[in-house]
Amino acid sequence: LGKSGFLAAFSLIFLSEIGDKTFFIAALLAMKIGKWMSFFGSVSALAVMTVISVSIGAIFSRVPDALKSSIPVGELAGIALLVFFGVKTLRDGLSQPADGASASDEELADAETAVQQVEGGKAQRRSALAVFIEVATLIFLAEWGDRSMLATIALGAAQNPVGVAIGAIGGHAAATGIAVLGGGIASKYVSERTVNIVSGVLFLLFAAATAFSMF
């Protein structure tokens, strides 16, 4: 499991996307332009983002090989990034009050602002391809530089890139599926504090598993 990257990528991406801005964008778009268009447009953009992120991590991990270095700098850097994200996410989760307001409210507000450019009435007057491209572009821009993108880069550097790519795309697809089927309801049952704590622990566990697999 430490080398495959699938389980690490799927679980981390799935958890980090629940209640995220792109999660709510997909949910809002599903109500405006339809569930299937929202799902496939969102997942297509997230898949492209995943391939880019994993490629960045994989290229970085292979720099030491090109330089004929005996030290696995790429894997060590990936582990360091996983530890960094784990500590930061865990600290953010523990610092939030158990009964405090969820940060997902802010994510929802950001998503509503972003989705205003894709109105149902206007979408009906455009071709399906034009709407698909607009949805994919909106999701891609919203996800760029997000925590899940950085986590995918770290996993791509530390573990098997193919397993990470498949797992991350699967995690995005699962989270997006929940979003288009009823994201607003689902996010109310999963607090931001719980997601951060569980994600932080998983980051640290997979960092340890990756380090163990190097021996």
Side-chain angles (χ1 to χ4, degrees):
L1 291 178
K3 293 182 178 180
S4 69
F6 176 86
L7 179 60
F10 181 89
S11 56
L12 289 176
I13 295 302
F14 177 77
L15 283 173
S16 65
E17 285 300 303
I18 296 294
D20 197 15
K21 181 168 69 174
T22 52
F23 179 88
F24 286 115
I25 289 177
L28 293 173
L29 288 175
M31 293 184 290
K32 290 179 176 293
I33 62 175
K35 291 182 174 62
W36 289 110
M37 182 65 73
S38 175
F39 178 80
F40 285 111
S42 299
V43 172
S44 297
L46 295 171
V48 172
M49 178 70 70
T50 298
V51 172
I52 294 174
S53 302
V54 172
S55 298
I56 294 174
I59 291 172
F60 181 77
S61 69
R62 278 154 178 72
V63 170
D65 295 335
L67 298 178
K68 304 300 182 181
S69 173
S70 60
I71 302 175
V73 178
E75 291 187 352
L76 292 176
I79 294 172
L81 285 174
L82 290 175
V83 172
F84 171 77
F85 286 125
V87 173
K88 182 179 184 302
T89 306
L90 190 60
R91 185 181 62 183
D92 292 343
L94 294 175
S95 64
Q96 292 176 331
D99 56 350
S102 173
S104 61
D105 293 337
E106 298 180 3
E107 299 287 356
L108 176 58
D110 292 339
E112 289 175 340
T113 301
V115 171
Q116 286 179 356
Q117 58 184 291
V118 184
E119 295 295 337
K122 295 180 181 179
Q124 292 176 0
R125 292 193 294 268
R126 295 197 300 273
S127 66
L129 178 60
V131 176
F132 176 87
I133 293 175
E134 187 169 0
V135 171
T137 302
L138 180 61
I139 293 294
F140 186 90
L141 294 177
E143 188 70 9
W144 185 264
D146 198 14
R147 179 177 60 185
S148 59
M149 177 186 178
L150 300 178
T152 306
I153 293 175
L155 287 171
Q159 301 190 11
N160 186 297
V162 176
V164 171
I166 296 174
I169 293 174
H172 279 303
T176 304
I178 293 176
V180 300
L181 291 176
I185 298 175
S187 63
K188 294 182 182 298
Y189 291 94
V190 183
S191 69
E192 185 77 8
R193 183 175 188 270
T194 300
V195 169
N196 281 335
I197 291 175
V198 175
S199 297
V201 171
L202 286 176
F203 270 117
L204 296 177
L205 286 177
F206 289 123
T210 303
F212 180 77
S213 68
M214 294 173 60
F215 295 99

